[in-house]
Amino acid sequence: MPEPTKKDETENESAPPPPEQKTLQDGGTEKGKDEDDTSVSTPPADGMSKPAERKDSVWSIGEGAPEETEKRDDSQRSTLFIEKPQSGSVSVGGNITFIAKVEAKDLLRKPNVKWFKGKWMDLASKAGKHLQLKESFERHSKIHTFEMHIIQAKENYAGNYRCEVSYKDKFDSCSFDLEVTESSQAAPSIDIRSAFKRSGDGQDDAGELDFSGLLKRREIKQQEEEPEVDVWELLKNANPSEYEKIAFQYGITDLRGMLKRLKRMRREVKKSAAFAKGLDPAYQVDKGGKVRFMVELADPTVELKWYKNGQEIRPSAKYIFEHKGNQRILFINNCTMTDDARYYVTAGDEKCSTELFVRDPPILVTKALEDTSTYVGERVELSCEVSEDDANVKWFKNGVELTNEPKSRYRIKVEGKKHTLIIEEAAKNDNATYSVMTTGGQSEAKLSVDLRPLKISLALEDQTVRLGQEIHLKCEISENVEGKWYKNGQQIEASDRVKLYHKGRIHRFVIASAAVDDEGEYMFVPDAYNINIPCKVHVVDPPKLHLDGLGEDNTVTVVAGSKLRLEIPITGEPTPKVMWSKGDKWITDSGRIRAETYPDSSCLVIDTAEREDSGPFRITLKNEAGEDTALINIKVVDVPDPPQAPNVTEVGEDWCVMTWEPPANDGGSPILGYFIERKKKQSSRWMRLNFELCKETTFEPKKMIEGVAYEVRVFAVNAIGISKPSMPSKSFVPLAVTSPPTLLAVDSVTDTTVTMKWRPPDHIGAAGLDGYVVEYCFEGTDEWIVANPELTDKTKFTITGLPTNSKILVRVKAVNAAGESEPRYHPQPILVKEVIEPPKIRLPRHLKQTYTRRVGETVNLVIPFQGRPRAKVSWQKNGSPIDKNQINIRNTENDTIIFIRKAERNHSGEYDMKVEVENLVDKATIDIQIVDRPGPPEIVTIDDVWGENVNLSWKPPKDDGNAAITGYTIQKADKKSMEWFTVIEHYHRTSATINELVIGNEYYFRIFAENMCGLSEDATMTKESALIAKDGKIYKYPVYDDFDFSERPLFTQPLVNTFAVAGYNTTLNCSVRGNPKPKITWLKNKVVIMNDPRYRMFSNQGVCTLEIRKPSPYDGGTYSCRAVNELGEAEVECKLEVKGKGFKSLQMPCVSEHHLHQSQKYAREMQKGVQTTSLTL
């Protein structure tokens, strides 16, 4: 039995032992090459110690990377290596290292480095015992170092290697060669035992399985017996992570039960008085073998019994008991798996137990795997036979274990001793070395999968397809493989428009509706084959003209003198030939009229359009798919000719009427209207009169200045533009008579005269007003008689010489340079007889009601009346005569005016007006009300407080402002902030409930009264506050007495002795406080200073100042300031000495000039109010 392998605890324990040798073909298409030339022997990593390395080094852990082809263009390569690996030579069994260095100065992260053998073999997946990859980074020099270590080189390690480095879009590659030379020592002979041996600790080949020698001879040799191995001891001393490996290696099927028994056996065994020597903890025997249990008793007379799993063992041919002195022996013959159990022996009350492990014999590979070659897509079966039926066998591919999972490509089939690995459809990536492993041996074989030679059964055919028809490409090949479609070298993917079909060996490419872009060279390339099936697709389309944008009749209008560039979209595949013509003349690609052709359009170009260019142009398209033609009408239009000079047919005050004839030529487009301009005759600036076209040939210019000469002209307008202006009209001057006189009325009538009066005309005009003509005629006649042969410039005229009791009609005309105006008629015949007209007051409508004005506004009332002759007007207020010092009254013959410049409340009242004519009287009364804002409401009380509500009540204000109270405004304020917020506006009642107050807050309330003038200036506030108490016990606030701020007068800054210069103002200053505010009195030599213009007294914020204007020596003396209030009085005094202007030269021992300046400076500061020690209440 092979010896178990002990491994270091730091070793990768889960990695299965893969076969040593792996062979890959370069590309798989070349035959006849020695396969060993492109292979690398990379045994798995074992527990060998690693060389010392820097802290920043990172070693490859041998993760498998997919072996895929990476093709890179030489244009992408850039120089990244600063040191490339160099070719080298090593002898068999020797070590060699290849080094590559990359500078990281311009790199933001670590570059990607790969090591390859040959073209395709990525060595990252081969790292292990014989191959190690290392990388490090030197921070100071910023250089990445990549190393590949080959350890204990073999002959098949020789060949070409490649190192590739890439970073983003940068790439660099370097190739180098490795030469392995023969060692001088002779090759050792092949021993089958060495193939199956798993060496122990400290050996160089620990963990390595090398079957290469055996596979070449295809010989199956029986494994020689090796020293007995106690699995029990192995499990007791092994790491738990190695249990499954040991169980598979030594054929243990019930590993879990064995571990439970192991746990029991590890318990401490107590010393026994009955047994001088007990059973061993465990025994191990091969299946079919014999085992011996022996105990030694301290007392040979004690009865002994043997048990197996609690059942007593009776003597038989299988179980044999033997006695030798104090020894008691049990033999178990022909052990089977049922004998694998727990045994114990009892001696009296004591017991001794042990475990028996029955081990299956090792499973041997009786028929090895064979190398196999096949084609892609074929079914592959790799078979071997083992020594036992349904044995536990593991399969590996390139050292990676294969599992029999449902989704796996690999299926494992077991038929008795025969084990088969099945691949239903082989692929290129199935090229590998496959191995099988049992508990007693292993075997491996190479699988080579090549492409089957491809034949084209049906090639693609060139097609010519019309636009919109289906493109259908079909080919058939000999193999059922996938493939790719290409158009002009670009791969085509399936989409909603492009359909790709693959069924068996047939591949189809379908486009339901061909487009112009679908034309090109198509190619089908089968996967994994270096072959392509090409064809060409030609898409044709009949030519077509697209004239949708030309409108009806294909007519194009162009303005004369402008450039026409008419672009007609065209379609057709191949591009059609375009021809233009007008009549029998073909249009070339040069000249004033030319044709320009583009792939998708054609242009007709006329550089400078002329009216002769009008007419039909023909465009014709031709290509191999057909022909299309169309007529396009070109219409050249121009602006119209100017109209004839206009005629002015009528002239008014500021207007005239003008007419004109349409232009003879409209330019080929209908006349849309006209623009009219005018100018003063002396000016050269024309002004546009209409901004909207005038549709008629008559226009009335307005807003002209009377007496100024004007000229007018006309422009014609069509769709193309505006014509040149017409010739100006003859000059004309607007001039008009005045309007009729206004307000013609009878002023007075006697028995022989009638006096008429009127007002000037509303509009006189630039011609002015020369005078008036008064005419009359007797009733019943049509003869108008001129009353004034000469014009009168007055607006009042008396017609004399009229017979008494006759009736006349009167009219008046205004006369100026333009003539007489329309007459103004008196509406009724006038009786020539003096008549008494009773008085009649025509009170305006707004004065029939109370006339209301606010305080401070002006009152100006005009009350018309009638009455003749000599009406007398009188006024009274509230039955008393009006005080003319406060109210101004002005009377005329027809009206009276009452005027108050600044109304006051006492001007309110009833004003009585009386008009008297002889014994006839008419009266009227005017009620004038002068209003002001009301006063505040009377006492506001808090009637009740409950929950979040407060009930308020108050009395209306005493002063309603002489107007009805229209409402009240209620405000609230939190006691903490005293910020007022309006709660209710325009409230009419004198009690209200305030809701939604915040619990815990205390509120004050105030109320404004409101009338038609607005809110009262002041508000009445509640004396007490309303506390919105929380639920629970009501807190009673302590009552504090109001603080008494009363204080008798106290001078906080006294007067100081002062020296003054004669002729210069000086001031005396002090500060005082007291409550109530004290009365200040100044005294000189104990005499009160009163009404003296030489003294001015000020008091501001408690600072008292006495200013002495231009003092003289006489003003020197003792000055006192006395403060008096109801609590007492206080007085301070100082001395003032006034010196002449030359006193500065005098020696004053007690006062210096500096002291004088300081005194004056202090006085000025006191005047400015900077003294902060005073308190004003």
Side-chain angles (χ1 to χ4, degrees):
M1 180 176 294
E3 226 174 289
T5 302
K6 296 184 179 179
K7 296 187 179 181
D8 191 82
E9 291 184 358
T10 60
E11 183 183 351
N12 185 2
E13 299 163 349
S14 62
E20 179 184 6
Q21 196 172 25
K22 302 179 182 179
T23 303
L24 289 172
Q25 291 184 357
D26 187 8
T29 57
E30 296 182 7
K31 303 292 183 178
K33 288 187 178 180
D34 186 3
E35 296 179 351
D36 291 338
D37 291 340
T38 60
S39 63
V40 176
S41 177
T42 55
D46 57 13
M48 65 176 288
S49 61
K50 298 180 181 179
E53 57 187 272
R54 289 193 299 268
K55 292 183 179 181
D56 57 351
S57 299
V58 179
W59 287 86
S60 172
I61 60 174
E63 295 181 353
E67 297 180 4
E68 57 182 6
T69 303
E70 295 183 5
K71 298 181 180 180
R72 298 183 182 266
D73 197 2
D74 290 338
S75 61
Q76 295 180 340
R77 294 196 175 183
S78 63
T79 303
L80 293 175
F81 288 112
I82 60 173
E83 181 179 338
K84 298 181 179 181
Q86 305 296 324
S87 300
S89 172
V90 67
S91 60
V92 174
N95 301 337
I96 189 171
T97 301
F98 296 92
I99 299 176
K101 293 186 179 181
V102 177
E103 187 176 11
K105 183 177 181 181
D106 299 327
L107 307 182
L108 299 179
R109 57 179 174 81
K110 186 185 75 175
N112 185 25
V113 174
K114 292 184 178 181
W115 298 84
F116 295 87
K117 184 174 188 301
K119 285 188 177 181
W120 318 113
M121 182 183 294
D122 188 351
L123 297 181
S125 62
K126 313 302 178 184
K129 173 182 176 182
H130 293 275
L131 176 67
Q132 293 180 354
L133 303 179
K134 177 183 176 183
E135 60 187 41
S136 60
F137 177 70
E138 181 61 38
R139 292 182 175 84
H140 298 293
S141 59
K142 295 186 177 180
I143 294 177
H144 289 278
T145 302
F146 302 89
E147 300 177 8
M148 180 177 72
H149 300 274
I150 296 178
I151 304 170
Q152 296 180 3
K154 298 183 180 181
E155 291 181 358
N156 57 357
Y157 286 7
N160 179 261
Y161 289 77
R162 187 172 78 257
C163 179
E164 290 184 358
V165 59
S166 62
Y167 177 80
K168 293 186 177 179
D169 57 343
K170 298 180 180 181
F171 171 75
D172 203 354
S173 176
C174 175
S175 298
F176 56 95
D177 297 322
L178 172 62
E179 180 182 359
V180 181
T181 59
E182 288 288 339
S183 176
S184 59
Q185 298 178 359
S189 59
I190 298 176
D191 184 6
I192 189 170
R193 293 186 61 188
S194 65
F196 287 93
K197 180 179 179 182
R198 291 174 173 83
S199 59
D201 296 338
Q203 299 183 17
D204 294 337
D205 295 334
E208 178 181 345
L209 296 177
D210 190 357
F211 290 88
S212 58
L214 295 177
L215 293 175
K216 291 179 181 178
R217 291 169 175 75
R218 299 289 189 268
E219 295 179 0
I220 307 298
K221 294 185 179 181
Q222 186 66 28
Q223 180 180 1
E224 296 183 3
E225 290 187 3
E226 300 217 354
E228 190 74 19
V229 176
D230 190 352
V231 180
W232 178 258
E233 292 296 329
L234 285 178
L235 289 174
K236 286 186 2 180
N237 300 323
N239 192 298
S241 60
E242 297 181 350
Y243 286 165
E244 291 188 4
K245 184 175 180 180
I246 296 174
F248 176 79
Q249 194 169 0
Y250 293 97
I252 299 172
T253 56
D254 188 13
L255 176 62
R256 182 174 298 177
M258 190 172 185
L259 293 176
K260 290 181 179 178
R261 291 152 69 185
L262 173 64
K263 185 176 181 181
R264 291 199 302 267
M265 293 305 299
R266 285 180 175 175
R267 297 172 185 169
E268 183 179 356
V269 180
K270 297 181 181 179
K271 283 189 176 183
S272 173
F275 294 98
K277 182 179 180 181
L279 295 173
D280 292 339
Y283 294 85
Q284 178 178 302
V285 66
D286 288 336
K287 184 178 180 182
K290 179 180 178 181
V291 68
R292 174 177 176 269
F293 295 150
M294 189 272 292
V295 296
E296 185 175 345
L297 298 176
D299 184 4
T301 62
V302 177
E303 183 182 0
L304 194 71
K305 291 184 179 181
W306 295 88
Y307 294 89
K308 172 187 175 183
N309 288 338
Q311 299 293 328
E312 185 178 356
I313 300 174
R314 299 295 182 182
S316 64
K318 184 176 181 68
Y319 301 102
I320 299 173
F321 298 93
E322 184 177 329
H323 297 255
K324 288 184 180 180
N326 289 347
Q327 293 182 352
R328 301 293 182 263
I329 303 171
L330 170 64
F331 292 96
I332 303 176
N333 298 320
N334 192 19
C335 292
T336 62
M337 296 305 296
T338 58
D339 297 323
D340 189 292
R342 182 170 182 263
Y343 294 83
Y344 64 89
V345 58
T346 60
D349 295 334
E350 294 194 21
K351 181 173 66 174
C352 181
S353 62
T354 187
E355 295 283 347
L356 175 62
F357 295 97
V358 180
R359 182 176 58 182
D360 278 336
I363 307 299
L364 304 178
V365 180
T366 58
K367 183 179 179 181
L369 298 174
E370 296 181 356
D371 291 345
T372 305
S373 297
T374 186
Y375 292 111
V376 173
E378 294 292 334
R379 177 186 172 94
V380 178
E381 293 186 1
L382 300 176
S383 300
C384 70
E385 292 183 4
V386 296
S387 59
E388 297 289 340
D389 290 341
D390 301 328
N392 188 9
V393 174
K394 293 188 177 181
W395 289 86
F396 297 89
K397 175 187 176 183
N398 290 338
V400 180
E401 183 179 354
L402 301 177
T403 58
N404 196 13
E405 296 179 355
K407 296 183 179 180
S408 176
R409 294 183 62 250
Y410 304 96
R411 188 163 58 89
I412 301 173
K413 181 179 179 183
V414 180
E415 296 175 346
K417 297 180 180 180
K418 184 178 181 180
H419 293 255
T420 306
L421 176 65
I422 302 173
I423 305 175
E424 294 294 341
E425 294 184 0
K428 286 290 292 180
N429 56 6
D430 292 326
N431 275 308
T433 299
Y434 294 83
S435 59
V436 61
M437 180 178 178
T438 66
T439 59
Q442 65 180 13
S443 175
E444 68 178 13
K446 297 179 181 178
L447 174 61
S448 176
V449 182
D450 295 326
L451 296 173
R452 190 186 302 274
L454 186 68
K455 296 180 180 180
I456 301 174
S457 304
L458 177 63
L460 298 177
E461 296 180 353
D462 295 345
Q463 293 187 13
T464 299
V465 183
R466 297 194 68 166
L467 189 69
Q469 293 183 349
E470 183 183 69
I471 299 177
H472 191 173
L473 304 180
K474 179 181 178 182
C475 67
E476 183 177 354
I477 56 180
S478 60
E479 298 297 326
N480 181 12
V481 295
E482 297 289 339
K484 297 181 177 60
W485 289 88
Y486 294 86
K487 174 191 172 185
N488 297 331
Q490 300 293 327
Q491 184 178 348
I492 302 174
E493 300 290 345
S495 63
D496 295 340
R497 185 170 175 272
V498 178
K499 306 295 182 182
L500 304 180
Y501 300 96
H502 174 210
K503 185 176 182 182
R505 298 177 299 170
I506 299 176
H507 294 264
R508 293 188 298 125
F509 175 93
V510 177
I511 297 178
S513 179
V516 176
D517 295 339
D518 294 329
E519 181 172 335
E521 294 184 0
Y522 289 78
M523 179 173 57
F524 176 74
V525 179
D527 288 347
Y529 286 93
N530 189 17
I531 190 172
N532 61 75
I533 308 172
C535 73
K536 293 183 179 180
V537 175
H538 184 43
V539 180
V540 297
D541 183 23
K544 182 174 178 60
L545 292 164
H546 299 275
L547 306 175
D548 299 338
L550 296 183
E552 298 181 0
D553 301 331
N554 294 340
T555 301
V556 178
T557 303
V558 60
V559 179
S562 62
K563 182 178 181 178
L564 170 65
R565 184 179 180 86
L566 177 61
E567 184 174 357
I568 306 297
I570 62 175
T571 56
E573 187 65 29
T575 303
K577 181 180 179 182
V578 184
M579 295 173 289
W580 286 87
S581 64
K582 181 182 181 185
D584 298 334
K585 184 179 178 181
W586 294 98
I587 298 176
T588 63
D589 58 355
S590 62
R592 186 177 65 87
I593 302 177
R594 62 184 181 275
E596 298 178 357
T597 302
Y598 302 96
D600 57 351
S601 63
S602 179
C603 291
L604 175 65
V605 180
I606 303 177
D607 284 336
T608 304
E610 300 175 357
R611 291 191 180 182
E612 292 76 11
D613 297 332
S614 299
F617 286 75
R618 180 179 295 276
I619 178 173
T620 303
L621 305 180
K622 287 183 180 180
N623 71 357
E624 62 184 64
E627 178 180 343
D628 193 14
T629 184
L631 284 176
I632 300 175
N633 295 319
I634 304 298
K635 182 179 180 182
V636 181
V637 297
D638 200 356
V639 297
D641 293 341
Q644 297 295 325
N647 295 321
V648 179
T649 59
E650 188 176 354
V651 176
E653 174 187 2
D654 61 346
W655 54 270
C656 70
V657 177
M658 56 183 290
T659 61
W660 62 90
E661 295 296 331
N665 186 355
D666 61 1
S669 180
I671 299 296
L672 301 178
Y674 301 91
F675 285 122
I676 296 91
E677 291 183 349
R678 78 174 182 214
K679 76 176 183 67
K680 297 177 182 178
K681 185 176 181 180
Q682 297 83 2
S683 173
S684 59
R685 179 176 175 272
W686 290 90
M687 183 177 67
R688 178 72 57 85
L689 299 181
N690 61 319
F691 294 97
E692 293 183 0
L693 290 175
C694 176
K695 306 294 185 182
E696 307 295 335
T697 57
T698 301
F699 188 75
E700 183 178 345
K702 296 181 179 179
K703 297 183 180 179
M704 292 185 286
I705 302 174
E706 288 186 84
V708 179
Y710 287 91
E711 293 178 350
V712 293
R713 66 181 182 183
V714 182
F715 295 84
V717 181
N718 63 3
I720 308 306
I722 303 174
S723 70
K724 294 180 180 180
S726 67
M727 295 299 294
S729 66
K730 295 181 180 180
S731 62
F732 62 93
V733 178
L735 198 62
V737 298
T738 66
S739 61
T742 59
L743 299 178
L744 178 60
V746 177
D747 184 58
S748 63
V749 179
T750 65
D751 291 339
T752 59
T753 64
V754 173
T755 302
M756 304 298 295
K757 62 179 180 180
W758 61 90
R759 294 287 178 89
D762 292 335
H763 181 70
I764 295 177
L769 178 64
D770 296 337
Y772 301 94
V773 173
V774 180
E775 296 178 343
Y776 69 93
C777 72
F778 291 100
E779 186 179 23
T781 65
D782 295 331
E783 182 182 358
W784 288 93
I785 303 170
V786 177
N788 55 330
E790 296 182 359
L791 296 178
T792 178
D793 57 353
K794 300 184 180 300
T795 57
K796 188 175 183 180
F797 186 78
T798 301
I799 304 173
T800 60
L802 299 176
T804 304
N805 294 327
S806 63
K807 292 184 177 181
I808 61 173
L809 299 174
V810 180
R811 68 182 184 185
V812 180
K813 297 178 182 179
V815 181
N816 66 359
E820 296 180 349
S821 69
E822 293 292 328
R824 174 68 67 185
Y825 291 89
H826 190 272
Q828 297 176 354
I830 301 171
L831 177 64
V832 183
K833 183 179 180 182
E834 189 170 2
V835 179
I836 296 176
E837 182 180 0
K840 178 65 176 178
I841 300 175
R842 301 188 179 276
L843 193 65
R845 181 175 298 176
H846 68 280
L847 296 180
K848 293 180 180 179
Q849 301 175 353
T850 301
Y851 182 76
T852 304
R853 281 290 180 271
R854 295 188 181 184
V855 171
E857 294 182 346
T858 301
V859 178
N860 188 11
L861 303 179
V862 178
I863 300 96
F865 62 86
Q866 63 185 27
R868 293 186 184 279
R870 297 169 295 280
K872 182 180 178 182
V873 180
S874 62
W875 286 90
Q876 286 186 344
K877 175 188 175 184
N878 296 329
S880 301
I882 292 177
D883 185 0
K884 293 184 179 181
N885 294 328
Q886 296 183 1
I887 302 174
N888 296 323
I889 303 294
R890 185 178 64 84
N891 298 322
T892 65
E893 294 181 357
N894 299 318
D895 55 28
T896 179
I897 299 174
I898 181 170
F899 178 78
I900 303 174
R901 185 175 300 278
K902 190 174 182 180
E904 297 179 0
R905 293 270 294 275
N906 57 10
H907 291 150
S908 301
E910 292 184 354
Y911 290 77
D912 298 323
M913 174 184 175
K914 183 170 66 174
V915 179
E916 296 178 308
V917 176
E918 295 184 357
N919 295 327
L920 301 175
V921 178
D922 191 14
K923 297 180 179 180
T925 301
I926 301 174
D927 187 6
I928 297 178
Q929 183 180 10
I930 308 301
V931 298
D932 197 0
R933 290 197 291 180
E938 293 194 38
I939 301 173
V940 180
T941 59
I942 299 175
D943 294 341
D944 192 9
V945 178
W946 74 98
E948 300 175 2
N949 311 306
V950 173
N951 189 24
L952 304 176
S953 64
W954 62 91
K955 294 182 180 180
K958 292 182 179 180
D959 182 11
D960 60 1
N962 204 23
I965 299 298
T966 59
Y968 299 91
T969 296
I970 305 173
Q971 293 183 345
K972 68 178 180 180
D974 188 0
K975 185 177 180 180
K976 297 178 181 178
S977 63
M978 289 308 291
E979 293 184 9
W980 293 98
F981 299 93
T982 301
V983 180
I984 303 176
E985 293 182 309
H986 313 304
Y987 189 74
H988 298 289
R989 292 185 292 178
T990 57
S991 63
T993 300
I994 312 302
N995 303 321
E996 299 180 359
L997 298 175
V998 179
I999 294 177
N1001 287 3
E1002 192 172 356
Y1003 293 91
Y1004 285 96
F1005 299 90
R1006 68 180 182 184
I1007 302 177
F1008 294 86
E1010 183 180 6
N1011 65 3
M1012 61 182 296
C1013 295
L1015 296 176
S1016 59
E1017 294 183 359
D1018 300 323
T1020 302
M1021 188 175 74
T1022 57
K1023 294 183 179 180
E1024 299 177 353
S1025 61
L1027 174 62
I1028 309 302
K1030 300 181 180 178
D1031 295 339
K1033 186 177 180 180
I1034 299 176
Y1035 174 72
K1036 294 183 178 180
Y1037 290 93
V1039 178
Y1040 299 100
D1041 295 334
D1042 293 339
F1043 183 76
D1044 186 7
F1045 289 96
S1046 300
E1047 182 183 9
R1048 62 177 296 167
L1050 174 65
F1051 282 93
T1052 59
Q1053 181 66 36
L1055 294 172
V1056 295
N1057 294 334
T1058 305
F1059 293 88
V1061 179
Y1064 294 93
N1065 293 355
T1066 188
T1067 58
L1068 302 177
N1069 300 277
C1070 63
S1071 61
V1072 66
R1073 71 181 184 190
N1075 188 24
K1077 184 178 180 179
K1079 180 181 178 181
I1080 305 301
T1081 304
W1082 288 90
L1083 302 92
K1084 177 187 177 184
N1085 298 328
K1086 304 299 182 179
V1087 177
V1088 177
I1089 300 173
M1090 295 182 61
N1091 299 327
D1092 191 336
R1094 293 185 302 110
Y1095 299 95
R1096 286 203 307 170
M1097 289 169 260
F1098 306 98
S1099 179
N1100 183 20
Q1101 300 292 327
V1103 177
C1104 303
T1105 303
L1106 174 65
E1107 181 181 7
I1108 306 173
R1109 297 181 178 180
K1110 298 181 179 180
S1112 62
Y1114 171 78
D1115 293 319
T1118 301
Y1119 287 84
S1120 304
C1121 180
R1122 180 183 299 164
V1124 180
N1125 67 5
E1126 61 187 21
L1127 299 179
E1129 67 177 38
E1131 183 174 340
V1132 292
E1133 64 181 21
C1134 69
K1135 292 183 179 181
L1136 174 65
E1137 184 175 354
V1138 180
K1139 297 294 184 178
K1141 293 184 180 180
F1143 87 102
K1144 289 183 181 180
S1145 59
L1146 298 178
Q1147 296 296 326
M1148 301 173 62
C1150 59
V1151 180
S1152 66
E1153 183 179 356
H1154 173 72
H1155 182 272
L1156 178 61
H1157 288 309
Q1158 290 295 328
S1159 176
Q1160 292 176 347
K1161 179 180 179 181
Y1162 175 77
R1164 287 194 298 269
E1165 291 178 351
M1166 295 291 286
Q1167 282 184 325
K1168 293 179 181 179
V1170 299
Q1171 183 64 29
T1172 58
T1173 59
S1174 62
L1175 174 65
T1176 301
L1177 300 176

